Amino acid sequence: MAAKAVVLHAAMLAATFVGAPAVAQTNDPNLSQKQIDCLSRRTAAGADCEDGAKNGGGQSGAGNAVGGAVFLPSLIVDLFPNPPARPTPAPTQPAPPKSPTSSAAPAPPPSGPITPPTGLNLAAPPRAVSGEFVPDEVLVTVAGDAGAVQRIATTLGLQVRSQRQSRLLGTTLVRYGIPDGRPVGVVLAQLAADGRTQRREPNHIYSLQQAAGIVNYAFERIALDSKQASGENVRIAVIDTGIDDANPALKGVIAGQFDAMPNVPIKKRDHGTSVDGLIAGVGVLEGMAPGAKIYHARAFEGGKSSMDVILSALDWAAEQDVRIINMSFVGPKNDLLGTACRNARALGMVLVAAAGNNGPKAPYGYPAAFDGVIAVTATDAKDGLMPQANRGAYVFISAPGVEMVAPSGTGSDVVTGTSFAAAIVSGAIANLIHAAPDRSADEIEKALAATAKDLGPKGRDNDFGYGLLDIKAAAAAKE
């Protein structure tokens, strides 16, 4: 019954977030129809406007609210898929593998009617925005104080919805609202022409990686003795859904909690509870690293979150002085997330992420595909690859993640997905740190790559990465 419930829930979520495609729009009365078409049809590939007009152009990645949209008050508005402007051609060669190595209160909007700016010289063509994103928001890092933030808003006809100093980005992060329906790609281009802005990104939407879901076989498969397993006092951050902290498997495990979306009611606690339990659960459903201290950031509801919320959770995690950050979610490439991950790694944190459950032909999943992040795919009890797992040169290592028993918001459940394989790896790494606290993130990554059990084609491959995690061999690699 539990497995059927998981399948039903997944189907309901999928139905919820299906939306009709929408076309770009602009309210600027000074733009001709041809200019509007140009703004909508340029792509990141660098096609010029004339060619785009002759060939019919592509569909803009921006969109409007459509029927069936889901509303998460004060945070995520009108979530729906936004198709890329044009299909991205597959690279002629595979990408090189990675080397083993509380928001402030929103400022009030400008008084009086908001007039979209005119006569701006665009420094770059509108971004070909891909992946799901909040359709009326952008994220911007700004050099300057609150006054500069508001002046940018006034100049470009935007609203300051939140702003805060980000530790991992090292600057002020502002969430601007677009009140007049301009496409996100157009606003990003207009912001690029303003020298007061540093980085400009869509507020991308990310999804937890749980597939439809028999005693936990992970200990045996990764060569970890369950009687000797320990992550005692190792601090681990988990960014996920809310959790059932009354679940017996999490008794004494949660050292701290942070709610990055306090205005959104918690409805589901299953995914986060399962991830925490697989990492450091106690009792009957013992995790990989009993004794570890989990710092849990709630950043997802209904399986979804936004870039702004995730960055807030990452900043909180960095402030807890954790050694490991588990990110069992996937979304589009976003430069702000990449910068945060790079800086977290520079601070000595080991970053572990789900490779994704979107199938062999899916695009790369982020944050897993960022350099310095350990991308984990899922295998079953016989070391076979989970069929719906993402593939690619970014996949770093394999770990059990198919049909495992884990604690959940309703007691326990059978779970499947790269989310849970990532949790197994995070717990295993906690064992390495417990045994040798001075081991650096680079040393741990190299040890995992050098000692993994080769699966599939000889050597590293796009399906299994370096192979199946072998924690016993990795622990010995330092000796």
Side-chain angles (χ1 to χ4, degrees):
M1 289 296 291
K4 290 181 179 178
V6 172
V7 173
L8 178 59
H9 181 60
M12 292 175 65
L13 282 178
T16 301
F17 288 97
V18 172
V23 296
Q25 66 171 343
T26 177
N27 293 340
D28 190 342
N30 294 296
L31 293 180
S32 67
Q33 185 60 47
K34 180 177 180 181
Q35 288 173 312
I36 293 172
D37 291 341
C38 288
L39 291 177
S40 298
R41 293 170 180 168
R42 292 184 185 176
T43 69
D48 61 53
C49 181
E50 290 300 320
D51 288 342
K54 292 174 183 178
N55 296 328
Q59 186 176 0
S60 170
N64 308 318
V66 297
V70 173
F71 297 88
L72 297 182
S74 305
L75 183 63
I76 301 174
V77 182
D78 299 345
L79 301 185
F80 57 90
N82 292 271
R86 293 177 182 169
T88 302
T92 55
Q93 296 181 348
K98 295 184 288 184
S99 301
T101 55
S102 90
S103 301
S111 59
I114 296 175
T115 304
T118 60
L120 291 176
N121 293 321
L122 302 185
R127 296 272 306 273
V129 182
S130 63
E132 293 183 67
F133 56 90
V134 182
D136 65 342
E137 290 183 355
V138 290
L139 297 180
V140 183
T141 55
V142 175
D145 56 14
V149 170
Q150 187 58 55
R151 285 191 293 273
I152 292 171
T154 302
T155 301
L156 295 179
L158 303 174
Q159 294 174 340
V160 180
R161 293 185 176 170
S162 68
Q163 59 181 300
R164 62 184 179 82
Q165 185 66 27
S166 170
R167 178 183 179 186
L168 291 176
L169 298 178
T171 187
T172 300
L173 177 65
V174 185
R175 179 165 59 102
Y176 284 115
I178 308 170
D180 55 23
R182 275 172 290 163
V184 165
V186 171
V187 173
L188 290 173
Q190 291 173 337
L191 283 162
D194 192 313
R196 295 168 293 188
T197 68
Q198 298 167 318
R199 292 188 175 91
R200 300 146 296 273
E201 291 286 343
N203 195 5
H204 278 126
I205 304 302
Y206 289 71
S207 304
L208 291 169
Q209 294 301 286
Q210 177 174 3
I214 271 209
V215 174
N216 191 342
Y217 55 88
F219 285 101
E220 177 187 358
R221 300 316 306 154
I222 69 171
L224 176 61
D225 187 340
S226 61
K227 296 180 180 179
Q228 298 182 4
S230 176
E232 187 174 1
N233 295 325
V234 178
R235 300 161 73 94
I236 305 172
V238 174
I239 299 174
D240 216 287
T241 66
I243 59 171
D244 176 15
D245 46 13
N247 190 302
L250 299 186
K251 184 177 181 179
V253 172
I254 308 301
Q257 294 192 60
F258 171 69
D259 193 343
M261 46 200 308
N263 296 323
V264 180
I266 299 177
K267 296 182 179 179
K268 293 293 183 181
R269 304 172 186 267
D270 299 317
H271 195 279
T273 302
S274 295
V275 168
D276 285 1
L278 289 170
I279 294 174
V282 297
V284 176
L285 297 177
E286 185 177 48
M288 299 293 104
K293 299 300 181 185
I294 300 290
Y295 290 81
H296 190 97
R298 182 241 179 174
F300 284 82
E301 190 56 55
K304 299 289 184 179
S305 186
S306 69
M307 187 75 277
D308 179 51
V309 173
I310 292 171
L311 288 171
S312 176
L314 278 170
D315 276 325
W316 176 82
E319 292 168 359
Q320 309 313 305
D321 192 29
V322 297
R323 292 293 307 274
I324 303 166
I325 299 180
N326 187 93
M327 299 178 286
S328 290
F329 53 85
V330 158
K333 185 177 182 180
N334 186 293
D335 183 59
L336 296 173
L337 180 59
T339 300
C341 288
R342 182 170 61 251
N343 290 340
R345 181 60 181 266
L347 291 172
M349 301 174 206
V350 181
L351 307 179
V352 180
N357 305 333
N358 300 311
K361 297 182 180 180
Y364 283 11
Y366 293 86
F370 286 124
D371 198 31
V373 178
I374 296 173
V376 184
T377 194
T379 52
D380 60 25
K382 296 182 179 180
D383 300 339
L385 188 67
M386 184 181 77
Q388 61 267 52
N390 286 34
R391 315 290 204 273
Y394 72 102
V395 175
F396 186 85
I397 204 159
S398 306
V402 177
E403 294 186 342
M404 297 189 299
V405 174
S408 74
T410 56
S412 64
D413 208 343
V414 177
V415 298
T416 292
T418 56
S419 275
F420 309 113
I424 296 298
V425 171
S426 291
I429 292 173
N431 280 264
L432 296 181
I433 294 174
H434 170 70
D438 61 333
R439 249 187 173 179
S440 70
D442 284 350
E443 289 171 339
I444 288 170
E445 191 170 322
K446 290 176 182 177
L448 296 182
T451 60
K453 176 185 176 183
D454 196 15
L455 300 175
K458 183 176 178 59
R460 181 174 182 173
D461 62 77
N462 289 351
D463 291 353
F464 298 97
Y466 285 100
L468 182 65
L469 175 67
D470 186 333
I471 205 65
K472 182 178 180 179
K478 186 176 175 66
E479 300 174 359

